[in-house]
Amino acid sequence: MGRLTGGDPSLLRRINSAVVLHALRATDCATLTEITRVTGLSRPTVEGVVEDLIAAGLVVGTAAEEGAARRQGRPARRFRFRAEAGHLLGLEIGAHRVAALLADLDGTVIGAQAREVGGTAGADERLERLRGAVAELLRRAGVPRGSLRAVGVATPGIVEADGTVRLGTALPGWTGLRLGERLSRSFRCPVLVENDANAAAVAEHWKGAATESDDVVFVLAGLSPGAGSLIGGRLHRGYGGAAGEIGALHLLGREATPETLLSTTGRPLHPLDEQAVAEVFALAREGDERARAAVDRFIRRLVHDVAALALALDPELVVIGGWAAGLDGVLEPLRSELERYCLRAPKVTLSLLGEAAVATGALRLALDHVEEQLFAVDGTVTARR
Amino acid sequence: MGRLTGGDPSLLRRINSAVVLHALRATDCATLTEITRVTGLSRPTVEGVVEDLIAAGLVVGTAAEEGAARRQGRPARRFRFRAEAGHLLGLEIGAHRVAALLADLDGTVIGAQAREVGGTAGADERLERLRGAVAELLRRAGVPRGSLRAVGVATPGIVEADGTVRLGTALPGWTGLRLGERLSRSFRCPVLVENDANAAAVAEHWKGAATESDDVVFVLAGLSPGAGSLIGGRLHRGYGGAAGEIGALHLLGREATPETLLSTTGRPLHPLDEQAVAEVFALAREGDERARAAVDRFIRRLVHDVAALALALDPELVVIGGWAAGLDGVLEPLRSELERYCLRAPKVTLSLLGEAAVATGALRLALDHVEEQLFAVDGTVTARR
């Protein structure tokens, strides 16, 4: 039974602190009077909270006006949120590339690093490349490792709540990897592991093609397509973290796999060979007949996969991402086919973030974690239900 | 920004009233002392709230002990929730049948009525049959129409938030029907319209095959299959109310429709002829070769549809309902195929409520509405965020 009780003073302090931080973060800087007005808290409460936040390093008073504030008629002392008080990492682990984004507590990106990695690299080598990219990124930005508050990691495969990859066929040695635990050894802050398509969906919603919609499916097009869904603005992971893994639908239809469909030689492409895929798309654009036929076959398959997602979930918007090259050609066929078969066809658009989507989503998940800790007024109240 | 403020006395009264009702409804009856202990409210507050609830007809004091309570050492006066203070209807509109369930404010069913209706009947005739069934039901139960607090209605098709059927190909004259408005003329209480598969999903979660799971897909098997999903215990309607309408996936695969697949004559069955379907299933059980081949074709199609839902949503449990006859034969093939193709296969089980699932779900939606009004402590707090 949900109850509103008066009792818990430490809860109240946390709520007030979150409210003040929230207000400060929404402005450049503010006076005590302004904070009091915006938050509805009493002046002594605001003063106490701001003092605590300054002690915690999360808020700073503008030094220049400190003296002036004491003299009548001069501007009052102003306070601002110290976004630089901590940092976040968004990491992407892919078949051919590892990437890292560094941001401050406002989520503003202040540095990026990416490194290539062989498609056949094992888990140890792949993680070593990632660690190298992170070390380089922190060094260049002059950010000490201890300043990190949260690390988000996006990876192909089904991810358990504890950060273990339950199934990950796209990367060698990935199934069963305790990825969260392995990476936690490199950081003293929480490490949050998420499926790559899920992370990309979050990223497009944050600052990509889906900022205007809360009901979104992001399709990570590829030889083994995956998808991530937001329902009412929240990530839908599924009961076992496997939601959106529609790749198997091909096999069920007893039809050819994308690597066969996209082949122009009769022999299937290698499942991880994105370069070969880009070449087929490029040839098709130049008018090569066999390549065009291959791309047509691939598009029909993609339409079927996306239709399955759209019919099951009924999203407002479908965002297509993944392969950087050639995907603009899939939009029109997708739209017209979905119009034919969906009772209510979703809008379809291309990813705006492109290659950066997955790492950006990982960063957003790290930011979510920190915001929950620092600013979660709703979360705090909700948790008491 | 969510805030906890002290201010609103009428909100506080509503919360306290809901808390007391909630507590009384959870027990047979209780004394003021017991209510005070369970709710954490003060004795005077409880006394005031109980008085108001008695005046509203929602609570009654046990008369037999009323005098006794005044004498020392005798049992104190006890109070109970009057489930009979109001009533609910759960209505089902189908291709061949309309049905109505009547329940008290505890959701206990106290009467049922069903009437056959022709598959070709228009909207007016169909609604007239439903009104007739409701009138008969209320008359037999001796419940005056004014006692109804909410009416839930389940129908095939995509239903808008205002109760209009945006698309309903299963029933003649159904697309565009302002079903909620039409039925509202017969009742003075709120009328809530829901898709039939969605209602059935809610019902199986309430008192059917899915009471133990909050992540459920209910498949309403039929010639035009539909599905309803619960995510985290809540109905997932989709952005436009069309979630789960997977029937179109057949067409997209350029494959035959279920009515063709299930035919033993070479000519497709009529899309609404469930009797013909039952005969094919019966023949198959008796060993008829053509019927078995037809059922096999149908099962392969059903497997594909269910796999699409399972891959998109990753539910814990899939409940198969719809046709009363023959569906037990689909469980094993469904399970083994889903095991092969899903990264994490859901459990699969048959509906426990059978023919009653859809009307039961409509009843539950009416009960949800009333509970929200009478007992919603969480809802009240949540709505203020």
Side-chain angles (χ1 to χ4, degrees):
Chain A
M1 211 160 27
R3 295 297 314 282
L4 289 176
T5 51
D8 186 345
S10 82
L11 171 71
L12 203 61
R13 206 156 50 227
R14 272 182 59 201
I15 292 175
N16 290 339
S17 172
V19 167
V20 169
L21 261 187
H22 200 106
L24 276 174
R25 200 164 174 241
T27 61
D28 263 359
C29 54
T31 63
L32 288 178
T33 306
E34 285 164 356
I35 301 171
T36 303
R37 182 172 49 74
V38 169
T39 61
L41 297 172
S42 73
R43 178 112 187 171
T45 300
V46 169
E47 282 174 352
V49 166
V50 167
E51 239 170 68
D52 289 352
L53 289 171
I54 289 173
L58 287 168
V59 164
V60 65
T62 49
E65 295 169 7
E66 202 162 2
R70 298 208 175 107
R71 292 193 297 276
Q72 226 177 354
R74 299 300 299 265
R77 194 179 177 196
R78 305 185 78 85
F79 299 89
R80 72 166 178 86
F81 172 61
R82 288 188 67 236
E84 70 278 20
H87 292 85
L88 310 163
L89 283 176
L91 308 181
E92 171 185 6
I93 305 175
H96 302 283
R97 205 176 83 108
V98 293
L101 291 175
L102 178 66
D104 65 18
L105 290 184
D106 275 336
T108 305
V109 174
I110 59 173
Q113 276 284 320
R115 294 199 176 180
E116 294 200 349
V117 60
T120 58
D124 288 347
E125 186 185 341
R126 203 170 293 274
L127 293 181
E128 210 37 65
R129 300 289 283 177
L130 183 65
R131 284 196 197 91
V134 167
E136 173 83 6
L137 177 58
L138 292 176
R139 195 181 57 73
R140 289 199 183 186
V143 168
R145 198 166 282 260
S147 176
L148 294 173
R149 299 273 184 137
V151 176
V153 189
T155 169
I158 299 180
V159 179
E160 307 260 7
D162 71 352
T164 301
V165 180
R166 184 145 49 82
L167 190 64
T169 53
L171 305 181
W174 218 244
T175 296
L177 183 70
R178 301 168 75 88
L179 181 57
E181 190 186 301
R182 289 285 295 272
L183 285 173
S184 288
R185 295 175 202 162
S186 305
F187 305 103
R188 268 173 299 171
C189 62
V191 174
L192 313 147
V193 187
E194 188 53 78
N195 168 269
D196 52 1
N198 288 357
V202 167
E204 296 288 343
H205 186 246
W206 182 27
K207 47 163 109 176
T211 54
E212 302 294 315
S213 174
D214 280 346
D215 295 280
V216 186
V217 168
F218 179 92
V219 177
L220 197 64
L223 291 171
S224 172
S229 310
L230 301 183
I231 296 175
R234 293 176 54 186
L235 198 51
H236 171 63
R237 293 185 171 90
Y239 177 72
E245 297 295 327
I246 47 170
L249 218 51
H250 312 163
L251 308 172
L252 199 60
R254 272 83 177 170
E255 290 174 53
T257 57
E259 46 268 36
T260 307
L261 295 175
L262 270 173
S263 167
T264 53
T265 63
R267 277 170 303 128
L269 305 178
H270 188 280
L272 294 179
D273 193 348
E274 292 179 24
Q275 186 53 40
V277 171
E279 281 162 23
V280 174
F281 275 111
L283 278 172
R285 270 196 300 276
E286 290 160 15
D288 181 279
E289 291 261 327
R290 296 182 68 170
R292 285 174 71 159
V295 168
D296 280 351
R297 286 194 300 266
F298 170 76
I299 287 176
R300 280 201 299 275
R301 167 54 39 79
L302 189 64
V303 166
H304 181 269
D305 290 348
V306 173
L309 286 165
L311 291 167
L313 287 163
D314 186 24
E316 181 183 12
L317 175 69
V318 173
V319 179
I320 308 289
W323 288 329
L327 282 176
D328 47 325
V330 309
L331 275 198
E332 275 321 308
L334 255 179
R335 280 183 187 135
S336 60
E337 291 288 282
L338 289 176
E339 286 290 343
R340 280 179 67 192
Y341 295 110
C342 292
L343 297 180
R344 201 203 58 76
K347 288 179 276 183
V348 184
T349 188
L350 282 184
S351 160
L352 274 183
L353 299 172
E355 204 176 29
V358 175
T360 301
L363 180 64
R364 176 69 241 188
L365 291 166
L367 183 57
D368 283 346
H369 180 84
V370 167
E371 289 190 342
E372 226 163 77
Q373 293 191 309
L374 295 182
F375 315 110
V377 183
D378 291 349
T380 313
V381 176
T382 308
R384 306 190 68 222
R385 284 215 222 120
Chain B
M1 210 160 29
R3 295 298 313 286
L4 291 176
T5 51
D8 187 344
S10 81
L11 171 72
L12 202 62
R13 205 156 52 226
R14 273 183 59 202
I15 292 175
N16 290 340
S17 172
V19 166
V20 169
L21 261 187
H22 200 107
L24 276 175
R25 200 165 174 240
T27 61
D28 262 357
C29 54
T31 63
L32 289 178
T33 307
E34 285 163 357
I35 301 170
T36 303
R37 182 172 47 76
V38 169
T39 60
L41 297 171
S42 74
R43 177 113 186 169
T45 300
V46 169
E47 282 174 352
V49 166
V50 167
E51 239 169 69
D52 289 351
L53 289 172
I54 290 174
L58 288 168
V59 164
V60 66
T62 50
E65 294 171 7
E66 201 163 358
R70 299 209 173 106
R71 294 192 295 276
Q72 224 178 354
R74 302 298 299 265
R77 192 178 178 197
R78 306 184 77 84
F79 300 88
R80 72 165 179 84
F81 172 61
R82 290 186 68 234
E84 69 278 20
H87 292 85
L88 311 163
L89 282 176
L91 308 182
E92 171 187 5
I93 304 175
H96 301 286
R97 205 176 82 107
V98 292
L101 291 174
L102 178 66
D104 66 18
L105 289 183
D106 275 336
T108 305
V109 173
I110 59 173
Q113 276 284 320
R115 297 199 174 179
E116 296 201 347
V117 60
T120 58
D124 288 347
E125 184 185 341
R126 204 171 291 276
L127 293 181
E128 210 37 63
R129 300 289 284 174
L130 183 64
R131 284 197 196 92
V134 167
E136 173 82 6
L137 177 57
L138 293 176
R139 195 182 57 72
R140 288 201 184 187
V143 168
R145 200 166 281 260
S147 176
L148 293 173
R149 298 274 185 138
V151 176
V153 189
T155 169
I158 300 180
V159 179
E160 308 260 6
D162 71 352
T164 301
V165 180
R166 185 144 49 81
L167 191 64
T169 53
L171 304 181
W174 219 243
T175 296
L177 184 71
R178 302 168 77 88
L179 181 57
E181 191 187 300
R182 288 286 295 273
L183 286 173
S184 288
R185 296 176 202 161
S186 305
F187 305 104
R188 268 173 298 171
C189 63
V191 174
L192 313 146
V193 187
E194 187 54 79
N195 169 270
D196 53 1
N198 287 356
V202 167
E204 296 288 343
H205 186 246
W206 182 27
K207 45 163 111 176
T211 55
E212 302 295 314
S213 174
D214 280 346
D215 296 279
V216 186
V217 169
F218 178 92
V219 178
L220 196 65
L223 292 170
S224 172
S229 310
L230 301 182
I231 296 174
R234 294 177 54 185
L235 198 51
H236 172 63
R237 293 187 172 87
Y239 177 71
E245 298 293 326
I246 48 172
L249 217 51
H250 312 163
L251 308 173
L252 200 60
R254 273 80 176 170
E255 290 174 53
T257 58
E259 48 268 35
T260 307
L261 295 176
L262 270 174
S263 167
T264 54
T265 63
R267 277 170 302 132
L269 305 179
H270 188 280
L272 294 179
D273 193 349
E274 293 180 22
Q275 186 54 39
V277 171
E279 280 162 23
V280 174
F281 275 110
L283 279 171
R285 270 197 301 277
E286 289 161 15
D288 181 278
E289 292 261 327
R290 296 182 70 172
R292 285 174 71 158
V295 169
D296 279 352
R297 286 194 299 266
F298 171 75
I299 287 177
R300 280 202 299 274
R301 167 54 40 80
L302 188 65
V303 166
H304 181 269
D305 289 347
V306 174
L309 285 166
L311 292 166
L313 287 163
D314 187 24
E316 181 184 13
L317 175 68
V318 173
V319 180
I320 308 289
W323 287 329
L327 282 176
D328 48 325
V330 309
L331 275 198
E332 275 320 308
L334 255 180
R335 281 183 186 136
S336 60
E337 290 288 282
L338 288 176
E339 284 291 344
R340 280 178 68 192
Y341 295 110
C342 292
L343 296 179
R344 200 204 58 76
K347 288 180 278 183
V348 183
T349 189
L350 283 185
S351 160
L352 274 183
L353 299 172
E355 206 177 25
V358 174
T360 301
L363 180 65
R364 176 69 240 188
L365 291 166
L367 184 57
D368 283 347
H369 179 82
V370 167
E371 290 190 341
E372 225 164 78
Q373 292 192 309
L374 295 182
F375 316 110
V377 183
D378 291 352
T380 313
V381 176
T382 307
R384 308 190 67 223
R385 286 218 219 113

